[in-house]
Amino acid sequence: MRRQFGAMGSWPVDLPTPTVVVEQELKTRGIWAFLRCFCRAVKGTPNSERIPYVFNHHTGHHYHHSPKLDIEVENDESEDRLEDVTLAVELKYLYPLLIPGCSDPEPNDPRPLQTALYPGDKPASQQQVLALLAQTIKETGENAITKAEIEEGGQKESEFWASAWIVKKAGSPEPLEKEKLLKGYTWASAEICSPKMLANDRQTRHRVQRVLKALMSKHRLVINGSCDTHCHLGRIDDQPYSLSTLKRLATILWVSEPTLRSTRDPKSPNYDNVYSWGFELVKHSRLARSLDGLEGLLTRQAVARQAHDISDRQIVRAICGQKTVSAKELAAFREIWSKTSHEELGKLLSGDTRMHRRLGFNFSAFGLEDERARTNPRTIEFRFMEGSTSIDMVLGWLTIGATIVEVSACKSDGRFEVTLGRLLQKSRESQRVTVVGQETRGERLGRDFAQLMEDLGVSHDLSRSFVEKITREN
């Protein structure tokens, strides 16, 4: 069996190999600390506490195989169970109403066109649109309510987060040049917010799909550069994720953000967050600001000396398995793992100005810096996906977000370590030059995104539309 494993490239061995990391253990932690690590590796302790050593003898393919260091994982105040992970989606659209007496400016659009009942009254037309959308959602068997109905009943939106689709006016969508050329329309906006649903419940996908299919077929919903799609991820009991899960999320999102944000169209008028705020974590968070000017690469020896600040074995293995690691990335990881409370971490991962408070990966609900953060659900929000009328892309984005949370919440999920290791490897190669005639920039970005999805375990069917979009738009 060991020969078979060796032939495939990874050869488990019983004893630690004399690597730089092991030597560094002896120097920095002393012989007794190393012996404790050694004994736990070879004795019959439970798998969750063992420190197995894996030697990969194929050079260049060691990014996810490295000696495990004897690191104590923090005891969380509450564990995050995968069956308790929830998701909710916010969809922002434009909605055209036909002005009475005008002809349809888009006669070839087969979807029904509603006539404005109050053509000279913008607020009334807005409420007409919201009521129409809520009614369609109800016809699918879901509960739905407009914000006006909530306020009329003297209630709060939070009372419906778990039970109903909330339909309200959207702040950012507005008609742009293309929409303004369609004479005969008066425009309203809509934000459609799903209830929180269990991410691992098979019915969740069907519920979202059924609602979106009804909305897309019965209404002329329109998206442009001012529209976007947000995904909230939390827990069914409304408690925040454990601190270690949030730290793992922050770690993997820090290095995966450029690849995930490649889904945005660089030619979109909202690419630079003109209409809705969702700036880059790696540029505008307090963490990013604290690392300004830090450059260079660290050797494996230097990484091993500093890795003890990080109390997560998978992260330590991933970074110690690299030939070199960016000094900025390792400093970011150490700063993330130095935080001792949700509030400290939330502030670190948010910006220090209002427009940068809620970044593309939004941790502000944990920082509690303003009333909105204090009253919002304790979720992390993915808020940089562009608006879409593609049901498959909306469902795909929800799956991607939920999968990243899943691999972060499960401390033994091997996908986390593999993904982080490959992202660190790609970070070193970020200056790769695309060879003209062999691979376009779009093809390279699409390939990187496809690889990330494969490492995370997201199916090709779900990721294909994103890969095609990235390749086409870049």
Side-chain angles (χ1 to χ4, degrees):
M1 179 60 72
R2 290 190 183 275
R3 290 185 181 276
Q4 292 173 355
F5 274 126
M8 290 188 289
S10 294
W11 191 343
V13 295
D14 292 325
L15 302 179
T17 55
T19 63
V20 171
V21 177
V22 172
E23 292 172 1
Q24 192 61 44
E25 278 283 277
L26 286 167
K27 292 177 182 178
T28 60
R29 305 187 66 181
I31 185 65
W32 295 114
F34 174 74
L35 285 175
R36 284 197 300 272
C37 178
F38 172 84
C39 291
R40 291 178 70 187
V42 299
K43 292 179 69 174
T45 52
N47 286 338
S48 60
E49 299 180 7
R50 290 189 65 186
I51 310 292
Y53 285 83
V54 179
F55 172 60
N56 190 323
H57 54 274
H58 286 338
T59 58
H61 296 277
H62 59 276
Y63 54 83
H64 65 282
H65 292 294
S66 63
K68 294 188 180 181
L69 303 181
D70 187 20
I71 292 185
E72 297 301 322
V73 178
E74 65 177 18
N75 291 319
D76 266 321
E77 65 284 359
S78 60
E79 290 300 320
D80 300 308
R81 302 191 309 167
L82 299 185
E83 58 267 32
D84 292 339
V85 174
T86 61
L87 58 80
V89 63
E90 297 173 356
L91 305 152
K92 298 182 182 182
Y93 298 107
L94 285 166
Y95 194 112
L97 292 170
L98 184 65
I99 299 172
C102 294
S103 58
D104 185 352
E106 296 179 289
N108 294 326
D109 191 327
R111 296 174 296 174
L113 176 60
Q114 302 292 333
T115 300
L117 300 179
Y118 316 98
D121 189 335
K122 284 282 188 181
S125 293
Q126 178 68 61
Q127 292 306 313
Q128 176 190 350
V129 165
L130 302 183
L132 287 168
L133 293 170
Q135 180 58 37
T136 296
I137 295 172
K138 291 177 183 178
E139 290 170 359
T140 70
E142 295 280 328
N143 294 325
I145 191 168
T146 65
K147 185 175 181 178
E149 291 173 322
I150 294 173
E151 293 173 344
E152 288 168 5
Q155 296 170 290
K156 299 178 180 179
E157 283 187 51
S158 58
E159 297 177 51
F160 296 89
W161 284 342
S163 61
W165 292 73
I166 300 173
V167 186
K168 57 187 178 181
K169 179 182 178 181
S172 62
E174 62 180 72
L176 301 181
E177 183 177 352
K178 180 180 177 181
E179 290 76 42
K180 291 176 181 178
L181 293 175
L182 299 172
K183 304 303 181 183
Y185 281 158
T186 182
W187 293 91
S189 67
E191 180 175 342
I192 302 167
C193 307
S194 79
K196 66 177 182 182
M197 297 170 282
L198 290 170
N200 284 341
D201 187 341
R202 291 184 178 181
Q203 289 304 311
T204 294
R205 177 182 177 86
H206 296 313
R207 289 174 64 187
V208 176
Q209 189 174 39
R210 185 166 59 246
V211 168
L212 292 183
K213 186 175 180 180
L215 291 173
M216 301 300 178
S217 62
K218 296 182 179 180
H219 302 277
R220 288 197 184 181
L221 294 174
V222 174
I223 57 106
N224 63 15
S226 67
C227 303
D228 44 24
T229 301
H230 299 173
C231 171
H232 285 265
L233 295 143
R235 284 179 25 164
I236 192 66
D237 60 2
D238 295 325
Q239 293 300 306
Y241 291 130
S242 64
L243 188 57
S244 64
T245 291
L246 282 179
K247 289 177 178 179
R248 281 165 63 90
L249 265 171
T251 300
I252 201 163
L253 293 178
W254 181 265
V255 288
S256 65
E257 184 177 51
T259 302
L260 291 169
R261 288 185 74 99
S262 67
T263 57
R264 291 168 66 86
D265 183 357
K267 297 181 287 296
S268 167
N270 196 40
Y271 184 73
D272 293 319
N273 304 282
V274 174
Y275 295 96
S276 59
W277 293 341
F279 294 91
E280 297 96 321
L281 176 72
V282 298
K283 291 183 179 180
H284 299 284
S285 64
R286 289 185 176 91
L287 175 57
R289 297 296 191 192
S290 72
L291 302 176
D292 280 347
L294 186 58
E295 298 178 354
L297 296 173
L298 298 175
T299 64
R300 191 173 292 174
Q301 293 94 327
V303 170
R305 284 194 298 272
Q306 299 181 37
H308 301 295
D309 292 347
I310 301 170
S311 60
D312 186 285
R313 296 184 180 114
Q314 288 191 323
I315 295 174
V316 172
R317 287 197 302 268
I319 60 178
C320 287
Q322 307 298 312
K323 293 179 180 178
T324 57
V325 173
S326 160
K328 179 177 286 190
E329 285 175 344
L330 183 56
F333 296 168
R334 294 178 68 196
E335 188 65 19
I336 288 168
W337 285 88
S338 73
K339 300 308 173 189
T340 58
S341 71
H342 288 74
E343 186 172 346
E344 281 186 355
L345 186 64
K347 289 177 179 177
L348 179 73
L349 301 173
S350 303
D352 54 8
T353 63
R354 182 170 172 267
M355 70 184 301
H356 295 138
R357 183 68 42 76
R358 291 163 186 82
L359 299 171
F361 294 123
N362 179 16
F363 288 83
S364 68
F366 308 103
L368 306 176
E369 294 187 78
D370 55 30
E371 187 62 22
R372 180 174 170 184
R374 288 187 287 271
T375 57
N376 270 3
R378 295 294 174 260
T379 60
I380 178 174
E381 180 185 18
F382 288 30
R383 54 181 290 118
F384 59 81
M385 179 184 166
E386 297 162 333
S388 179
T389 53
S390 166
I391 297 175
D392 287 343
M393 292 197 74
V394 173
L395 292 172
W397 192 240
L398 293 176
T399 300
I400 291 168
T403 300
I404 293 173
V405 168
E406 179 181 298
V407 301
S408 299
C410 182
K411 310 304 186 290
S412 60
D413 194 321
R415 290 176 295 174
F416 182 92
E417 187 177 337
V418 170
T419 301
L420 181 59
R422 197 186 304 273
L423 287 167
L424 289 169
Q425 182 183 18
K426 286 187 179 297
S427 178
R428 298 199 312 270
E429 304 168 358
S430 60
Q431 302 303 316
R432 288 177 297 170
V433 177
T434 298
V435 180
V436 177
Q438 293 187 12
E439 187 180 54
T440 66
R441 180 175 185 273
E443 288 170 341
R444 177 173 62 81
L445 292 174
R447 177 167 53 81
D448 287 348
F449 187 89
Q451 183 64 67
L452 174 60
M453 294 301 103
E454 181 180 329
D455 290 341
L456 288 170
V458 175
S459 73
H460 175 70
D461 288 342
L462 284 173
S463 65
R464 181 174 56 242
S465 56
F466 290 96
V467 174
E468 291 173 349
K469 180 180 188 295
I470 294 167
T471 304
R472 180 177 64 252
E473 293 175 348
N474 287 275

